[in-house]
């Protein structure tokens, strides 16, 4: 029995990967910039170069699991991911299978995070959860009755593309007002930029480049009581609460788990979030759906969850 | 083996019930006005009086399944149903079990309709569907990977209470802008009333009593090309499409099935609905999620689906 699986978490900005054993222990991890690779083949070869020297024998690796934006579990593809430069339908599973010569499963990055939380994180022993990843985009993984929700297309669980403000902010998906445009790290920076520009319309395109804004700095300012920074968190929390209330009305989870970059701001986000959530939730759900912070923020839940797929043949 | 189950569909206005065999054949059906009964006990006793004389022997009846608004499968209760006069938490399963001396299961009325469509209607052989019932309220039953979605609370699948217009129409649930306030028969009448009053704000409370409006009449007028009637259908379809796009983004069904009173208007609703749906859906889902009309509109899918629960011990 091969003791390790390779878990890969492809994000819009970074790709993290690691060798994981069956107990969820990470034996080696690496990190590369996704945008440095014009093709998925290039990314696969780079990971291969870094991983192979770490193995004591080729047989040590059982398989590969990948979490990626718009990952299709049924097809093993990435399909039209707005936050990646690889356009159209990419046969990601096939590509990695060729490069490594090992069985490869693909899922949505947030589904992988959900599997990680269920197996090793804060959602152990839960059967119905929603994991929301607040990164470059907003991803979500739904677990219902103990199973990851894939849907007919293999691409269920796109809470980031639920419209929370009709005719709101322009989204990369071509529509307007998606949760992602408000509650991702990018959306948060957009809010900060608009507040700094003293704009009355917080749904507009900011003039400031978002590169100039650091979520970490804004978070430090909010910690020190800065009014603008606190307002940015409150505004973000309001939309996140609206999207979550929709998720709860449809799937009724036991808890919601927050992961990804913005989740690291902790109570700065969850304090206003819980207040808004209480207004947005249906009466029957109020006070009954705790918002938990990922138990794997420093370990990358998505690597661990994706790795779990790597054994799943 | 007892050959019949009693299926009961409790709606805000009417309660339909029937004796159903394992092939989905309805052997007897009855209909009473829900609002005539101040208590659920009264309703149970009335159904008992009507059903017992139809049985050749008491052993002919295997069990009872009930679909009811806000029905909780796990608890066997109705909880805070805004469209019923029975307030709070009603132990419906227990009540029927006492009156009939038979095992009784309770579920959401729309979940029952979904089970009916899967077993006997247009969704046979499908594993992932959403059934949306457009009646006094808007209900929804989600089937994912072949199983009705109950969620942790037992009350998942409340698409009618997804907010499609922030700060929109006042809903019976206490919040504003729920899909139900636009796409139920009641919401449709509200739209007609506001259009007839020549109001510019279609989210306001109309002054006309909704009792004066007949959805059937409006439907006939639309059939004859009446502009106001057609506008009412288009407006309703737009919001329904928005709610459906949310359902598809989260659960990715193979098809959406429309049931309930407003579904009887057929193409008057589905023609504008398909146009709006194409705008509202994420690109990856466009043209891939057909909207089907219930195959059991004249047979009551919810009675058949609820009856299926009656055998399920």
């Amino acid at each position: 029995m091969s003791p390790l699986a390779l878990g890969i978490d492809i994000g819009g900005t970074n790709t993290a990967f690691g060798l994981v054993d069956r107990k969820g222990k990470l034996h080696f991890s690496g990190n590369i910039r996704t945008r440095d690779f014009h093709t998925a083949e290039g990314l696969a070869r780079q990971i291969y170069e870094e991983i192979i020297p770490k193995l004591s024998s080729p047989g040590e690796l059982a398989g590969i699991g990948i979490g990626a934006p718009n990952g299709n579990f049924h097809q093993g593809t990435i399909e039209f991911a707005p936050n990646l430069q690889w356009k159209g339908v990419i046969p990601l599973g096939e590509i990695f299978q060729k490069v490594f010569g090992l069985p490869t499963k693909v899922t949505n990055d947030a589904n992988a995070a959900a599997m990680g939380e269920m197996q090793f994180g804060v959602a152990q022993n839960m059967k119905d959860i929603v994991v929301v990843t607040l990164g470059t985009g907003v991803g979500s993984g739904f677990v219902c009755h103990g199973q990851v929700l894939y849907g007919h297309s293999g691409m269920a669980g796109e809470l980031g593309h639920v419209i929370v403000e009709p005719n709101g902010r322009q989204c990369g998906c071509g529509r307007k007002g998606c949760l992602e445009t408000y509650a991702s790290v990018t959306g948060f920076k957009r809010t900060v930029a608009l507040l700094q520009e003293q704009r009355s319309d917080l749904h507009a395109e900011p003039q400031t480049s978002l590169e100039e804004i650091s979520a970490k700095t804004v978070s430090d300012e909010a910690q020190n009581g800065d009014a603008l920074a606190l307002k940015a968190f409150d505004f973000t929390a309001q939309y996140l609460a609206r999207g979550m209330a929709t998720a709860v009305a449809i799937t009724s989870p036991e808890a919601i788990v927050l992961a990804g970059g913005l989740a690291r701001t902790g109570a700065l986000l969850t304090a206003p979030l819980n207040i808004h959530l209480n207004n947005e939730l249906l009466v029957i759900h109020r006070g009954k759906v705790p918002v938990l912070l990922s138990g794997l923020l420093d370990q990358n839940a998505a690597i661990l969850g994706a790795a779990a797929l790597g054994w799943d043949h």
Side-chain angles (χ1 to χ4, degrees), chain A:
Chain A
M1 198 170 72
S2 304
L4 296 176
L6 172 57
I8 304 175
D9 173 30
I10 299 181
T13 310
N14 293 305
T15 292
F17 52 95
L19 294 167
V20 183
D21 67 24
R22 285 177 190 268
K23 289 187 176 159
K25 200 182 157 212
L26 199 60
H27 289 251
F28 164 76
S29 71
N31 210 304
I32 52 186
R33 285 180 59 84
T34 315
R35 290 187 204 283
D36 288 349
F37 299 90
H38 298 294
T39 64
E41 283 85 355
L43 182 90
R45 278 195 296 266
Q46 179 64 33
I47 295 175
Y48 182 82
E49 297 296 330
E50 298 198 23
I51 284 297
I52 295 302
K54 305 295 170 192
L55 297 172
S56 55
S57 79
E60 206 181 359
L61 198 53
I64 302 169
I66 308 177
N70 289 30
N72 185 327
F73 178 75
H74 296 329
Q75 307 295 333
T77 51
I78 297 181
E79 304 189 5
F80 306 101
N83 297 319
L84 294 179
Q85 59 180 333
W86 314 327
K87 297 302 170 202
V89 177
I90 311 288
L92 198 68
E94 220 173 83
I95 291 169
F96 274 79
Q97 201 138 345
K98 249 184 223 166
V99 170
F100 282 82
L102 283 172
T104 303
K105 291 244 171 138
V106 176
T107 191
N108 180 302
D109 49 346
N111 288 343
M115 292 173 68
E117 295 295 343
M118 299 268 294
Q119 293 199 26
F120 312 115
V122 290
Q124 291 176 56
N125 303 319
M126 292 187 191
K127 297 243 173 266
D128 299 271
I129 60 163
V130 181
V131 174
V132 186
T133 60
L134 308 169
T136 310
V138 169
S140 68
F142 286 75
V143 177
C144 300
H145 308 170
Q147 293 182 308
V148 174
L149 195 66
Y150 290 116
H152 182 66
S153 67
M155 302 183 73
E158 284 291 350
L159 190 62
H161 294 286
V162 159
I163 288 171
V164 290
E165 184 67 52
N167 299 311
R169 291 182 181 172
Q170 181 64 50
C171 183
C173 79
R175 302 175 312 153
K176 285 183 172 177
C178 292
L179 176 60
E180 173 159 304
T181 66
Y182 295 93
S184 62
V185 172
T186 321
F188 177 73
K189 288 183 180 179
R190 201 158 153 178
T191 302
V192 171
L194 290 164
L195 287 170
Q196 285 175 347
E197 292 168 15
Q198 299 186 297
R199 303 273 281 272
S200 60
D201 177 8
L202 293 183
H203 310 292
E205 279 300 331
Q207 277 148 13
T208 320
S209 158
L210 299 187
E211 306 274 319
E212 291 170 29
I213 294 165
S214 148
K216 175 76 177 68
T217 306
V218 180
S219 171
D220 290 345
E221 287 164 355
Q223 207 66 265
N224 294 326
D226 178 77
L228 188 149
L230 287 169
K231 186 162 182 196
F233 276 103
D234 185 69
F235 183 83
T236 304
Q238 189 186 337
Y239 282 102
L240 187 53
R242 193 175 289 169
M244 284 179 171
T246 292
V248 172
I250 292 180
T251 66
S252 182
E254 181 170 359
I256 297 169
V257 181
L258 290 183
L262 210 56
R264 291 177 194 274
T265 62
L268 287 173
L269 183 63
T270 55
L273 181 61
N274 279 315
I275 293 169
H276 288 295
L277 202 51
N278 212 40
N279 293 326
E280 298 276 349
L281 282 177
L282 269 171
V283 170
I284 52 165
H285 296 302
R286 281 183 200 162
K288 294 182 184 167
V289 190
V291 175
L292 308 176
L293 290 172
S294 162
L296 303 164
L297 273 178
D298 298 318
Q299 292 173 65
N300 200 324
I303 291 183
L304 299 183
L309 273 181
W311 284 301
D312 187 22
H313 311 298

